[in-house]
C-alpha cells in the first residue's frame, strides 16, 4: 500500500503549477477511444472520446511544460438536436484521415475507428479565454494533420 503520509509530506510553497501548454503544432499518439454519453443542456448525447498523448512539440510559441500532457478530445456523434445528418461525423472523418485511415475501400466509420489505436497524428493547439483565470487560458485542439 502507498505511504500517503510520505507522499503528502510536501510543503505547499514547494508545489509549482505546470505552465500552460503553448499554442502550436504537436505530434500525439492516439490512445484507446471510448464511447460515452455526454451531458448537455438538452440531455445526453453520444460521443467518442479519444485520448491524445502529446509526444513531441514541433513548432510552439512559448515554454513547453516539462511533461507533455494527455488531452482527451471529444467527437459528437449527433447534432444538437440529437440526430445525424451528412455533416455530423465530418470532424471525426477528418481526424481518422489524419490518423492514416484510408477510406478508398468504402469503410464505415465504425470500421475506421477500430484502426486508430496507437496511430500518430499531428495536432494544432490554440488557446481560448478562461474567464475564471485569465492568466491560464484553455489549450484546445484546433485541427489535425497527418504526420
Amino acid at each position: 500500500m502507498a505511504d500517503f503520509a510520505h507522499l503528502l509530506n510536501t510543503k505547499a510553497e514547494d508545489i509549482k503549477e505546470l505552465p500552460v501548454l503553448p499554442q502550436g503544432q504537436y505530434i500525439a499518439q492516439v490512445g484507446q477511444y471510448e464511447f460515452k454519453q455526454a451531458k448537455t443542456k438538452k440531455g445526453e448525447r453520444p460521443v467518442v472520446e479519444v485520448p491524445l498523448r502529446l509526444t513531441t512539440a514541433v513548432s510552439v510559441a512559448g515554454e513547453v511544460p516539462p511533461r507533455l500532457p494527455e488531452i482527451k478530445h471529444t467527437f459528437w456523434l449527433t447534432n444538437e438536436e440529437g440526430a445525424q445528418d451528412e455533416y455530423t461525423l465530418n470532424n471525426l472523418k477528418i481526424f481518422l484521415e489524419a490518423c492514416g485511415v484510408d477510406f478508398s475501400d468504402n469503410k464505415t466509420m465504425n470500421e475506421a475507428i477500430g484502426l486508430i489505436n496507437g496511430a500518430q497524428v499531428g495536432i494544432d493547439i490554440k488557446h481560448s479565454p478562461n474567464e475564471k483565470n485569465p492568466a491560464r487560458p484553455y489549450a484546445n485542439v484546433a485541427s489535425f494533420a497527418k504526420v
Side-chain angles (χ1 to χ4, degrees), residues 23-28 55-61 64 68 121-123 147:
Q23 296 186 99
Q25 288 78 43
Y26 296 82
I27 295 174
T55 58
T56 307
V58 177
S59 173
V60 298
V64 177
L68 289 173
V121 64
I123 64 171
V147 178

Side-chain angles (χ1 to χ4, degrees), residues 19 31 34 37 48 65 74 77 85 99 101 108 115 124 139-141 144 146:
E34 184 178 359
Q37 290 290 116
V48 61
T74 302
L77 302 180
D85 56 33
C99 289
V101 174
T108 66
L115 302 173
D124 188 22
N140 302 305
V141 176
F144 301 99
K146 286 185 180 179

Side-chain angles (χ1 to χ4, degrees), residues 30-36 47-52 73 75 92 95-96 109-118:
V30 178
Q32 180 59 50
Y33 62 89
E34 184 178 359
F35 295 113
K36 298 176 134 185
V47 300
V48 61
E49 188 176 81
V50 180
L52 302 167
H73 192 76
F75 294 96
L92 179 58
F95 169 71
L96 294 171
M109 297 299 281
N110 194 42
E111 292 168 329
I113 201 164
L115 302 173
I116 63 168
N117 192 24

Side-chain angles (χ1 to χ4, degrees), residues 76-79 83-94:
W76 298 90
L77 302 180
T78 61
N79 59 26
Q84 259 191 3
D85 56 33
E86 64 269 25
Y87 309 109
T88 309
L89 299 177
N90 188 56
N91 287 337
L92 179 58
K93 181 182 174 190
I94 290 168

Side-chain angles (χ1 to χ4, degrees), residues 61-72:
E63 178 187 358
V64 177
R67 290 185 322 266
L68 289 173
E70 177 177 283
I71 297 172
K72 293 193 179 201

